[in-house]
Amino acid sequence: MAFLKRDHRNVLVLATCQMLFGAGRSMIVLTAPLIAYGLMQEKSLATLPHALVIVGTALLTLPASFLMRRFGRRYGFAIGALIGSGGGVICVFAILMVDFGLFCLGTLLFGAAAGFGQHYRFAAADVASLDFRSKAISLVLAGGVAAGILGPELANVSKDWVSSGEFLGVYIVLILLTLSTAGVVMLVDIPGLTEAEANVESRPIWLIMRQPIFIVAVLATAVSQAVMNLMMTATPIAMHQAHHGFADTVWVIEWHTVCMFAPGFFTGSLVKRWGEIPIIISGLSLIAISVGFAVSGTSVSIFWISMALLGLGWNFSFTAGSTLLIQAHTPGERAKTQGTVNFLIYGAAAIAALSSGGLLHYLGWEWLNLIGLPLLVIAMGVTIWFALSQRSRPGSLN
């Protein structure tokens, strides 16, 4: 890869890591709720293991950010991947021992590793040129396209590999994927802060957070992530309750994941042409439409359309929100700002995922989906307010 420019090489490496780690994440999305559903009498806890992936992500985003500031992106990402491998090992033993608590610990550790992986998109933008920055973010996210196909297909193929435990083979593959990520990420080339950047006076985090541009960026990313996790976490159980087979669930989640990441090949160009705000509004609107489809029925085709639109809407609002965020901080402030933002995003997503199982069990599939609408309305309203305020203050972004 020596013939590639550094920012292009970093995008290729980080997109590959996104693919490998994302494939493992897709496998957990598909199988963890079903494993828990079989282990627990209390079915409302069936989504807990997957929810703990997101809890682990939220808990480690800030520590991961500061660790990478101290030791560099490359070693931070490698450490994260090794933590994910440890989580996979624990999941294997948990399935063998039929231990729900141990299985939850394993998924929590994988989530902790994801707390490092959620910085892939920011890492690509760190040294990218201004013109390439939005494309760098979207292309790294586009690494999830292959993950969206690879993960579900690997889960479907490997779930019966080991006769001593259903889905045991899935978590053996998960270990191999995360170990591969640790190796690939060593090729990344992102220098630390220059002395001038490090010595620039850094504002307190509360001062950064009070900027309107920061608020809009966080709402766009956090709400889209939360609603997406609320719906996606419950989908395998909802499809199981609707008597659809595992192959149908694989197909739906596979397309959802592809639609989450495939637009990454062009979302950056859309952001560059139209600006972040129109793309955020488009994304939130698509998520709202996906909710409308979700409550209209429980056929496989309805699940497919709803999850596909959900993935597409997430990509638009998440990519544009992430690009907008970069304008809210200086290079010297990026560690604490990016760590705080990821904590807020995945904290919201963790609450949504933790609530998903109980909401599905006690209120049903339709009400679970409708709960996301008020959040979308709030995010849309704040984004439109910000857009209108910028018209009266040309040249001001914050």
Side-chain angles (χ1 to χ4, degrees), residues 344-368:
L344 293 172
I345 292 171
Y346 291 98
I351 293 170
L354 286 168
S355 306
S356 183
L359 292 171
L360 179 64
H361 184 71
Y362 294 110
L363 298 181
W365 175 244
E366 290 185 8
W367 277 105
L368 177 144

Side-chain angles (χ1 to χ4, degrees), residues 148 211 217 237 239 254 284:
Q211 299 173 100
I237 301 299
M239 292 190 70
E254 186 173 278
L284 295 172

Side-chain angles (χ1 to χ4, degrees), residues 13-235:
V13 171
L14 292 168
T16 302
C17 293
Q18 181 82 38
M19 176 194 70
L20 294 170
F21 210 83
R25 174 67 184 274
S26 296
M27 293 162 74
I28 289 181
V29 169
L30 269 169
T31 62
L34 297 175
I35 291 170
Y37 197 80
L39 288 176
M40 296 296 293
Q41 291 294 323
E42 180 53 63
K43 302 305 181 185
S44 65
L45 295 177
T47 61
L48 180 60
H50 177 247
L52 287 174
V53 172
I54 305 165
V55 171
T57 303
L59 291 175
L60 262 290
T61 49
L62 270 170
S65 181
F66 288 113
L67 187 147
M68 286 189 283
R69 179 183 172 91
R70 175 68 179 83
F71 296 105
R73 296 285 197 187
R74 178 190 300 161
Y75 294 107
F77 287 141
I79 290 169
L82 293 175
I83 292 172
S85 299
V89 170
I90 291 174
C91 286
V92 166
F93 280 102
I95 295 170
L96 287 171
M97 299 168 64
V98 195
D99 189 322
F100 178 75
L102 195 61
F103 186 68
C104 286
L105 176 61
T107 60
L108 180 69
L109 278 178
F110 184 87
F116 289 82
Q118 293 307 324
H119 290 272
Y120 288 151
R121 69 191 191 280
F122 291 133
D126 282 349
V127 292
S129 64
L130 185 61
D131 287 343
F132 188 60
R133 190 170 291 165
S134 60
K135 288 186 178 180
I137 291 174
S138 63
L139 287 172
V140 168
L141 291 177
V145 176
I149 299 171
L150 183 64
E153 291 300 328
L154 284 174
N156 196 34
V157 169
S158 62
K159 69 184 181 72
D160 297 318
W161 275 0
V162 183
S163 59
S164 54
E166 188 179 18
F167 299 119
L168 187 60
V170 173
Y171 289 84
I172 293 174
V173 173
L174 178 72
I175 297 168
L176 297 176
L177 288 174
T178 50
L179 288 174
S180 298
T181 305
V184 171
V185 81
M186 296 306 291
L187 298 173
V188 79
D189 179 21
I190 298 176
L193 294 175
T194 65
E195 185 177 350
E197 290 173 335
N199 290 334
V200 171
E201 185 177 353
S202 177
R203 293 170 292 175
I205 189 62
W206 64 267
L207 196 58
I208 298 170
M209 293 175 66
R210 65 184 289 184
Q211 299 173 100
I213 193 171
F214 179 95
I215 295 169
V216 172
V218 170
L219 270 178
T221 51
V223 168
S224 59
Q225 187 76 27
V227 176
M228 188 269 288
N229 275 281
L230 182 70
M231 297 172 65
M232 180 187 66
T233 302
T235 293

Side-chain angles (χ1 to χ4, degrees), residues 242-268:
H243 307 293
H244 299 307
F246 184 72
D248 290 327
T249 305
V250 166
W251 184 65
V252 168
I253 295 299
E254 186 173 278
W255 272 99
H256 165 70
T257 310
V258 168
C259 288
M260 283 177 67
F261 298 111
F265 291 111
F266 59 82
T267 308

